[in-house]
PDB file of all heavy atoms in Angstrom:
ATOM      1  N   PHE E   1     -64.570  24.885 -95.191  1.00  0.00           N
ATOM      2  CA  PHE E   1     -64.976  23.483 -95.261  1.00  0.00           C
ATOM      3  C   PHE E   1     -65.402  23.111 -93.848  1.00  0.00           C
ATOM      4  O   PHE E   1     -64.890  23.590 -92.890  1.00  0.00           O
ATOM      5  CB  PHE E   1     -63.893  22.627 -95.743  1.00  0.00           C
ATOM      6  CG  PHE E   1     -63.583  22.781 -97.211  1.00  0.00           C
ATOM      7  CD1 PHE E   1     -64.082  23.770 -98.053  1.00  0.00           C
ATOM      8  CD2 PHE E   1     -62.763  21.820 -97.867  1.00  0.00           C
ATOM      9  CE1 PHE E   1     -63.814  23.933 -99.315  1.00  0.00           C
ATOM     10  CE2 PHE E   1     -62.422  21.920 -99.137  1.00  0.00           C
ATOM     11  CZ  PHE E   1     -62.907  22.970 -99.927  1.00  0.00           C
ATOM     12  N   SER E   2     -66.344  22.166 -93.756  1.00  0.00           N
ATOM     13  CA  SER E   2     -66.732  21.555 -92.527  1.00  0.00           C
ATOM     14  C   SER E   2     -66.985  20.066 -92.595  1.00  0.00           C
ATOM     15  O   SER E   2     -67.635  19.588 -93.581  1.00  0.00           O
ATOM     16  CB  SER E   2     -68.079  22.318 -92.062  1.00  0.00           C
ATOM     17  OG  SER E   2     -68.497  21.711 -90.893  1.00  0.00           O
ATOM     18  N   ILE E   3     -66.328  19.321 -91.806  1.00  0.00           N
ATOM     19  CA  ILE E   3     -66.471  17.866 -91.752  1.00  0.00           C
ATOM     20  C   ILE E   3     -67.352  17.486 -90.629  1.00  0.00           C
ATOM     21  O   ILE E   3     -67.293  18.090 -89.555  1.00  0.00           O
ATOM     22  CB  ILE E   3     -65.095  17.256 -91.720  1.00  0.00           C
ATOM     23  CG1 ILE E   3     -65.172  15.724 -91.863  1.00  0.00           C
ATOM     24  CG2 ILE E   3     -64.379  17.570 -90.365  1.00  0.00           C
ATOM     25  CD1 ILE E   3     -63.764  15.042 -92.079  1.00  0.00           C
ATOM     26  N   SER E   4     -68.170  16.494 -90.943  1.00  0.00           N
ATOM     27  CA  SER E   4     -69.086  16.100 -89.933  1.00  0.00           C
ATOM     28  C   SER E   4     -69.389  14.560 -90.021  1.00  0.00           C
ATOM     29  O   SER E   4     -69.148  13.985 -91.207  1.00  0.00           O
ATOM     30  CB  SER E   4     -70.424  16.763 -89.915  1.00  0.00           C
ATOM     31  OG  SER E   4     -71.061  16.678 -91.213  1.00  0.00           O
ATOM     32  N   ARG E   5     -69.926  13.935 -89.019  1.00  0.00           N
ATOM     33  CA  ARG E   5     -70.281  12.561 -89.067  1.00  0.00           C
ATOM     34  C   ARG E   5     -71.752  12.387 -88.804  1.00  0.00           C
ATOM     35  O   ARG E   5     -72.302  13.150 -88.055  1.00  0.00           O
ATOM     36  CB  ARG E   5     -69.472  11.737 -88.048  1.00  0.00           C
ATOM     37  CG  ARG E   5     -67.963  11.748 -88.250  1.00  0.00           C
ATOM     38  CD  ARG E   5     -67.289  10.703 -87.314  1.00  0.00           C
ATOM     39  NE  ARG E   5     -67.651  11.027 -85.962  1.00  0.00           N
ATOM     40  CZ  ARG E   5     -68.208  10.140 -85.133  1.00  0.00           C
ATOM     41  NH1 ARG E   5     -68.403   8.837 -85.563  1.00  0.00           N
ATOM     42  NH2 ARG E   5     -68.464  10.375 -83.858  1.00  0.00           N
ATOM     43  N   ASP E   6     -72.315  11.365 -89.430  1.00  0.00           N
ATOM     44  CA  ASP E   6     -73.650  10.844 -89.161  1.00  0.00           C
ATOM     45  C   ASP E   6     -73.541   9.462 -88.717  1.00  0.00           C
ATOM     46  O   ASP E   6     -73.388   8.548 -89.524  1.00  0.00           O
ATOM     47  CB  ASP E   6     -74.561  11.118 -90.290  1.00  0.00           C
ATOM     48  CG  ASP E   6     -76.000  10.759 -89.946  1.00  0.00           C
ATOM     49  OD1 ASP E   6     -76.282  10.000 -88.969  1.00  0.00           O
ATOM     50  OD2 ASP E   6     -76.894  11.192 -90.618  1.00  0.00           O
ATOM     51  N   VAL E   7     -73.503   9.205 -87.362  1.00  0.00           N
ATOM     52  CA  VAL E   7     -73.280   7.852 -86.884  1.00  0.00           C
ATOM     53  C   VAL E   7     -74.407   6.928 -87.360  1.00  0.00           C
ATOM     54  O   VAL E   7     -74.124   5.705 -87.588  1.00  0.00           O
ATOM     55  CB  VAL E   7     -73.153   7.910 -85.389  1.00  0.00           C
ATOM     56  CG1 VAL E   7     -72.913   6.486 -84.848  1.00  0.00           C
ATOM     57  CG2 VAL E   7     -72.042   8.839 -85.006  1.00  0.00           C
ATOM     58  N   THR E   8     -75.586   7.371 -87.389  1.00  0.00           N
ATOM     59  CA  THR E   8     -76.689   6.535 -87.731  1.00  0.00           C
ATOM     60  C   THR E   8     -76.612   5.987 -89.169  1.00  0.00           C
ATOM     61  O   THR E   8     -77.028   4.876 -89.439  1.00  0.00           O
ATOM     62  CB  THR E   8     -78.067   7.206 -87.623  1.00  0.00           C
ATOM     63  OG1 THR E   8     -78.091   8.336 -88.481  1.00  0.00           O
ATOM     64  CG2 THR E   8     -78.213   7.723 -86.146  1.00  0.00           C
ATOM     65  N   LYS E   9     -75.982   6.818 -90.054  1.00  0.00           N
ATOM     66  CA  LYS E   9     -75.796   6.335 -91.455  1.00  0.00           C
ATOM     67  C   LYS E   9     -74.360   5.838 -91.662  1.00  0.00           C
ATOM     68  O   LYS E   9     -74.002   5.483 -92.810  1.00  0.00           O
ATOM     69  CB  LYS E   9     -76.008   7.558 -92.411  1.00  0.00           C
ATOM     70  CG  LYS E   9     -77.414   7.990 -92.328  1.00  0.00           C
ATOM     71  CD  LYS E   9     -77.743   9.130 -93.303  1.00  0.00           C
ATOM     72  CE  LYS E   9     -79.154   9.673 -93.218  1.00  0.00           C
ATOM     73  NZ  LYS E   9     -79.358  10.837 -94.164  1.00  0.00           N
ATOM     74  N   ASN E  10     -73.496   5.909 -90.675  1.00  0.00           N
ATOM     75  CA  ASN E  10     -72.042   5.456 -90.795  1.00  0.00           C
ATOM     76  C   ASN E  10     -71.417   6.222 -91.884  1.00  0.00           C
ATOM     77  O   ASN E  10     -70.680   5.604 -92.693  1.00  0.00           O
ATOM     78  CB  ASN E  10     -72.027   3.949 -90.929  1.00  0.00           C
ATOM     79  CG  ASN E  10     -70.572   3.441 -90.706  1.00  0.00           C
ATOM     80  OD1 ASN E  10     -69.900   3.916 -89.894  1.00  0.00           O
ATOM     81  ND2 ASN E  10     -70.279   2.342 -91.446  1.00  0.00           N
ATOM     82  N   SER E  11     -71.717   7.453 -91.988  1.00  0.00           N
ATOM     83  CA  SER E  11     -71.222   8.271 -93.161  1.00  0.00           C
ATOM     84  C   SER E  11     -70.537   9.519 -92.671  1.00  0.00           C
ATOM     85  O   SER E  11     -70.805  10.012 -91.465  1.00  0.00           O
ATOM     86  CB  SER E  11     -72.297   8.632 -94.087  1.00  0.00           C
ATOM     87  OG  SER E  11     -72.892   7.536 -94.707  1.00  0.00           O
ATOM     88  N   THR E  12     -69.605  10.008 -93.359  1.00  0.00           N
ATOM     89  CA  THR E  12     -68.816  11.265 -93.065  1.00  0.00           C
ATOM     90  C   THR E  12     -69.031  12.194 -94.199  1.00  0.00           C
ATOM     91  O   THR E  12     -68.962  11.828 -95.319  1.00  0.00           O
ATOM     92  CB  THR E  12     -67.422  10.948 -92.776  1.00  0.00           C
ATOM     93  OG1 THR E  12     -67.311  10.096 -91.587  1.00  0.00           O
ATOM     94  CG2 THR E  12     -66.739  12.321 -92.317  1.00  0.00           C
ATOM     95  N   TYR E  13     -69.245  13.499 -93.895  1.00  0.00           N
ATOM     96  CA  TYR E  13     -69.522  14.428 -95.013  1.00  0.00           C
ATOM     97  C   TYR E  13     -68.459  15.674 -94.845  1.00  0.00           C
ATOM     98  O   TYR E  13     -68.027  15.948 -93.839  1.00  0.00           O
ATOM     99  CB  TYR E  13     -70.964  15.023 -94.779  1.00  0.00           C
ATOM    100  CG  TYR E  13     -71.970  13.950 -94.697  1.00  0.00           C
ATOM    101  CD1 TYR E  13     -72.476  13.480 -93.537  1.00  0.00           C
ATOM    102  CD2 TYR E  13     -72.526  13.406 -95.931  1.00  0.00           C
ATOM    103  CE1 TYR E  13     -73.377  12.551 -93.480  1.00  0.00           C
ATOM    104  CE2 TYR E  13     -73.430  12.447 -95.886  1.00  0.00           C
ATOM    105  CZ  TYR E  13     -73.987  11.964 -94.665  1.00  0.00           C
ATOM    106  OH  TYR E  13     -74.895  10.987 -94.596  1.00  0.00           O
ATOM    107  N   LEU E  14     -68.261  16.096 -96.021  1.00  0.00           N
ATOM    108  CA  LEU E  14     -67.324  17.291 -96.167  1.00  0.00           C
ATOM    109  C   LEU E  14     -68.191  18.402 -96.868  1.00  0.00           C
ATOM    110  O   LEU E  14     -68.316  18.300 -98.151  1.00  0.00           O
ATOM    111  CB  LEU E  14     -66.078  16.996 -96.909  1.00  0.00           C
ATOM    112  CG  LEU E  14     -65.079  18.176 -96.985  1.00  0.00           C
ATOM    113  CD1 LEU E  14     -64.536  18.474 -95.560  1.00  0.00           C
ATOM    114  CD2 LEU E  14     -63.903  17.783 -97.925  1.00  0.00           C
ATOM    115  N   LEU E  15     -68.570  19.347 -96.112  1.00  0.00           N
ATOM    116  CA  LEU E  15     -69.292  20.457 -96.734  1.00  0.00           C
ATOM    117  C   LEU E  15     -68.291  21.453 -97.205  1.00  0.00           C
ATOM    118  O   LEU E  15     -67.557  21.995 -96.310  1.00  0.00           O
ATOM    119  CB  LEU E  15     -70.264  21.041 -95.650  1.00  0.00           C
ATOM    120  CG  LEU E  15     -70.961  22.370 -96.054  1.00  0.00           C
ATOM    121  CD1 LEU E  15     -71.825  22.212 -97.341  1.00  0.00           C
ATOM    122  CD2 LEU E  15     -71.821  22.928 -94.951  1.00  0.00           C
ATOM    123  N   MET E  16     -68.285  21.741 -98.345  1.00  0.00           N
ATOM    124  CA  MET E  16     -67.324  22.661 -98.992  1.00  0.00           C
ATOM    125  C   MET E  16     -68.070  23.944 -99.440  1.00  0.00           C
ATOM    126  O   MET E  16     -68.806  23.916-100.388  1.00  0.00           O
ATOM    127  CB  MET E  16     -66.545  22.061-100.122  1.00  0.00           C
ATOM    128  CG  MET E  16     -65.884  20.780 -99.715  1.00  0.00           C
ATOM    129  SD  MET E  16     -64.967  19.945-101.183  1.00  0.00           S
ATOM    130  CE  MET E  16     -66.243  19.608-102.256  1.00  0.00           C
ATOM    131  N   ASN E  17     -67.808  24.992 -98.715  1.00  0.00           N
ATOM    132  CA  ASN E  17     -68.459  26.291 -99.028  1.00  0.00           C
ATOM    133  C   ASN E  17     -67.417  27.250 -99.709  1.00  0.00           C
ATOM    134  O   ASN E  17     -66.236  27.111 -99.523  1.00  0.00           O
ATOM    135  CB  ASN E  17     -68.917  26.964 -97.841  1.00  0.00           C
ATOM    136  CG  ASN E  17     -70.094  26.199 -97.141  1.00  0.00           C
ATOM    137  OD1 ASN E  17     -71.041  25.756 -97.927  1.00  0.00           O
ATOM    138  ND2 ASN E  17     -70.160  26.129 -95.890  1.00  0.00           N
ATOM    139  N   ASN E  18     -67.997  28.237-100.418  1.00  0.00           N
ATOM    140  CA  ASN E  18     -67.112  29.208-101.081  1.00  0.00           C
ATOM    141  C   ASN E  18     -65.987  28.611-101.827  1.00  0.00           C
ATOM    142  O   ASN E  18     -64.820  28.996-101.659  1.00  0.00           O
ATOM    143  CB  ASN E  18     -66.677  30.185-100.027  1.00  0.00           C
ATOM    144  CG  ASN E  18     -66.065  31.487-100.573  1.00  0.00           C
ATOM    145  OD1 ASN E  18     -66.375  31.847-101.717  1.00  0.00           O
ATOM    146  ND2 ASN E  18     -65.197  32.112 -99.888  1.00  0.00           N
ATOM    147  N   LEU E  19     -66.249  27.621-102.690  1.00  0.00           N
ATOM    148  CA  LEU E  19     -65.294  26.977-103.418  1.00  0.00           C
ATOM    149  C   LEU E  19     -64.554  27.893-104.440  1.00  0.00           C
ATOM    150  O   LEU E  19     -65.152  28.901-104.858  1.00  0.00           O
ATOM    151  CB  LEU E  19     -65.835  25.824-104.241  1.00  0.00           C
ATOM    152  CG  LEU E  19     -66.294  24.632-103.297  1.00  0.00           C
ATOM    153  CD1 LEU E  19     -67.216  23.706-104.084  1.00  0.00           C
ATOM    154  CD2 LEU E  19     -65.053  23.890-102.910  1.00  0.00           C
ATOM    155  N   ARG E  20     -63.296  27.610-104.595  1.00  0.00           N
ATOM    156  CA  ARG E  20     -62.506  28.414-105.561  1.00  0.00           C
ATOM    157  C   ARG E  20     -61.726  27.416-106.428  1.00  0.00           C
ATOM    158  O   ARG E  20     -61.593  26.337-106.186  1.00  0.00           O
ATOM    159  CB  ARG E  20     -61.585  29.298-104.786  1.00  0.00           C
ATOM    160  CG  ARG E  20     -60.648  28.620-103.784  1.00  0.00           C
ATOM    161  CD  ARG E  20     -60.143  29.703-102.733  1.00  0.00           C
ATOM    162  NE  ARG E  20     -59.127  29.120-101.922  1.00  0.00           N
ATOM    163  CZ  ARG E  20     -58.712  29.589-100.815  1.00  0.00           C
ATOM    164  NH1 ARG E  20     -59.197  30.817-100.355  1.00  0.00           N
ATOM    165  NH2 ARG E  20     -57.762  29.068-100.159  1.00  0.00           N
ATOM    166  N   PRO E  21     -61.194  28.000-107.529  1.00  0.00           N
ATOM    167  CA  PRO E  21     -60.529  27.026-108.501  1.00  0.00           C
ATOM    168  C   PRO E  21     -59.427  26.163-107.980  1.00  0.00           C
ATOM    169  O   PRO E  21     -59.224  25.032-108.355  1.00  0.00           O
ATOM    170  CB  PRO E  21     -59.993  28.063-109.585  1.00  0.00           C
ATOM    171  CG  PRO E  21     -60.914  29.142-109.559  1.00  0.00           C
ATOM    172  CD  PRO E  21     -61.291  29.393-108.114  1.00  0.00           C
ATOM    173  N   ASP E  22     -58.611  26.715-106.900  1.00  0.00           N
ATOM    174  CA  ASP E  22     -57.566  25.873-106.400  1.00  0.00           C
ATOM    175  C   ASP E  22     -58.133  24.769-105.457  1.00  0.00           C
ATOM    176  O   ASP E  22     -57.278  23.956-105.044  1.00  0.00           O
ATOM    177  CB  ASP E  22     -56.621  26.772-105.647  1.00  0.00           C
ATOM    178  CG  ASP E  22     -57.134  27.482-104.462  1.00  0.00           C
ATOM    179  OD1 ASP E  22     -58.252  27.937-104.592  1.00  0.00           O
ATOM    180  OD2 ASP E  22     -56.503  27.661-103.414  1.00  0.00           O
ATOM    181  N   ASP E  23     -59.419  24.638-105.333  1.00  0.00           N
ATOM    182  CA  ASP E  23     -59.973  23.593-104.602  1.00  0.00           C
ATOM    183  C   ASP E  23     -60.230  22.315-105.580  1.00  0.00           C
ATOM    184  O   ASP E  23     -60.475  21.268-105.123  1.00  0.00           O
ATOM    185  CB  ASP E  23     -61.293  23.888-103.989  1.00  0.00           C
ATOM    186  CG  ASP E  23     -61.126  24.871-102.802  1.00  0.00           C
ATOM    187  OD1 ASP E  23     -60.163  24.736-101.981  1.00  0.00           O
ATOM    188  OD2 ASP E  23     -61.999  25.751-102.699  1.00  0.00           O
ATOM    189  N   SER E  24     -60.057  22.586-106.901  1.00  0.00           N
ATOM    190  CA  SER E  24     -60.239  21.515-107.844  1.00  0.00           C
ATOM    191  C   SER E  24     -59.292  20.400-107.675  1.00  0.00           C
ATOM    192  O   SER E  24     -58.065  20.591-107.597  1.00  0.00           O
ATOM    193  CB  SER E  24     -60.159  22.086-109.209  1.00  0.00           C
ATOM    194  OG  SER E  24     -61.119  23.042-109.544  1.00  0.00           O
ATOM    195  N   ALA E  25     -59.822  19.218-107.584  1.00  0.00           N
ATOM    196  CA  ALA E  25     -58.907  17.976-107.261  1.00  0.00           C
ATOM    197  C   ALA E  25     -59.885  16.811-107.206  1.00  0.00           C
ATOM    198  O   ALA E  25     -61.062  16.866-107.355  1.00  0.00           O
ATOM    199  CB  ALA E  25     -58.169  18.138-105.886  1.00  0.00           C
ATOM    200  N   ILE E  26     -59.150  15.687-107.148  1.00  0.00           N
ATOM    201  CA  ILE E  26     -59.850  14.459-106.815  1.00  0.00           C
ATOM    202  C   ILE E  26     -59.815  14.305-105.336  1.00  0.00           C
ATOM    203  O   ILE E  26     -58.741  14.334-104.745  1.00  0.00           O
ATOM    204  CB  ILE E  26     -59.208  13.193-107.502  1.00  0.00           C
ATOM    205  CG1 ILE E  26     -59.360  13.352-108.978  1.00  0.00           C
ATOM    206  CG2 ILE E  26     -59.988  11.937-107.067  1.00  0.00           C
ATOM    207  CD1 ILE E  26     -58.741  12.189-109.772  1.00  0.00           C
ATOM    208  N   TYR E  27     -60.916  14.153-104.699  1.00  0.00           N
ATOM    209  CA  TYR E  27     -61.002  14.085-103.233  1.00  0.00           C
ATOM    210  C   TYR E  27     -61.170  12.645-102.802  1.00  0.00           C
ATOM    211  O   TYR E  27     -62.042  11.903-103.299  1.00  0.00           O
ATOM    212  CB  TYR E  27     -62.179  14.921-102.723  1.00  0.00           C
ATOM    213  CG  TYR E  27     -61.861  16.358-102.660  1.00  0.00           C
ATOM    214  CD1 TYR E  27     -61.858  17.081-103.886  1.00  0.00           C
ATOM    215  CD2 TYR E  27     -61.669  17.112-101.567  1.00  0.00           C
ATOM    216  CE1 TYR E  27     -61.591  18.503-103.889  1.00  0.00           C
ATOM    217  CE2 TYR E  27     -61.359  18.374-101.514  1.00  0.00           C
ATOM    218  CZ  TYR E  27     -61.369  19.063-102.703  1.00  0.00           C
ATOM    219  OH  TYR E  27     -61.054  20.421-102.763  1.00  0.00           O
ATOM    220  N   TYR E  28     -60.360  12.186-101.877  1.00  0.00           N
ATOM    221  CA  TYR E  28     -60.345  10.809-101.346  1.00  0.00           C
ATOM    222  C   TYR E  28     -60.684  10.756 -99.907  1.00  0.00           C
ATOM    223  O   TYR E  28     -60.242  11.602 -99.164  1.00  0.00           O
ATOM    224  CB  TYR E  28     -58.980  10.137-101.576  1.00  0.00           C
ATOM    225  CG  TYR E  28     -58.539  10.176-102.958  1.00  0.00           C
ATOM    226  CD1 TYR E  28     -57.750  11.132-103.590  1.00  0.00           C
ATOM    227  CD2 TYR E  28     -58.774   9.009-103.788  1.00  0.00           C
ATOM    228  CE1 TYR E  28     -57.347  11.043-104.962  1.00  0.00           C
ATOM    229  CE2 TYR E  28     -58.371   8.892-105.134  1.00  0.00           C
ATOM    230  CZ  TYR E  28     -57.661   9.914-105.605  1.00  0.00           C
ATOM    231  OH  TYR E  28     -57.162   9.860-106.936  1.00  0.00           O
ATOM    232  N   CYS E  29     -61.484   9.827 -99.632  1.00  0.00           N
ATOM    233  CA  CYS E  29     -61.824   9.560 -98.179  1.00  0.00           C
ATOM    234  C   CYS E  29     -60.955   8.391 -97.671  1.00  0.00           C
ATOM    235  O   CYS E  29     -60.820   7.429 -98.366  1.00  0.00           O
ATOM    236  CB  CYS E  29     -63.348   9.254 -98.025  1.00  0.00           C
ATOM    237  SG  CYS E  29     -63.831   8.894 -96.340  1.00  0.00           S
ATOM    238  N   LYS E  30     -60.380   8.607 -96.478  1.00  0.00           N
ATOM    239  CA  LYS E  30     -59.623   7.500 -95.839  1.00  0.00           C
ATOM    240  C   LYS E  30     -60.146   7.362 -94.419  1.00  0.00           C
ATOM    241  O   LYS E  30     -60.272   8.365 -93.690  1.00  0.00           O
ATOM    242  CB  LYS E  30     -58.122   7.818 -95.846  1.00  0.00           C
ATOM    243  CG  LYS E  30     -57.251   6.750 -95.213  1.00  0.00           C
ATOM    244  CD  LYS E  30     -55.874   7.207 -94.982  1.00  0.00           C
ATOM    245  CE  LYS E  30     -55.652   7.885 -93.729  1.00  0.00           C
ATOM    246  NZ  LYS E  30     -54.239   8.126 -93.517  1.00  0.00           N
TER     247      LYS E  30
END
């Protein structure tokens, strides 16, 4: 996984690569 910010858009992204079944969940941003 890789987390990054885009200040111009005031957004934060979580790039999730090579996902596997144990990654299944509800993901929350805080």
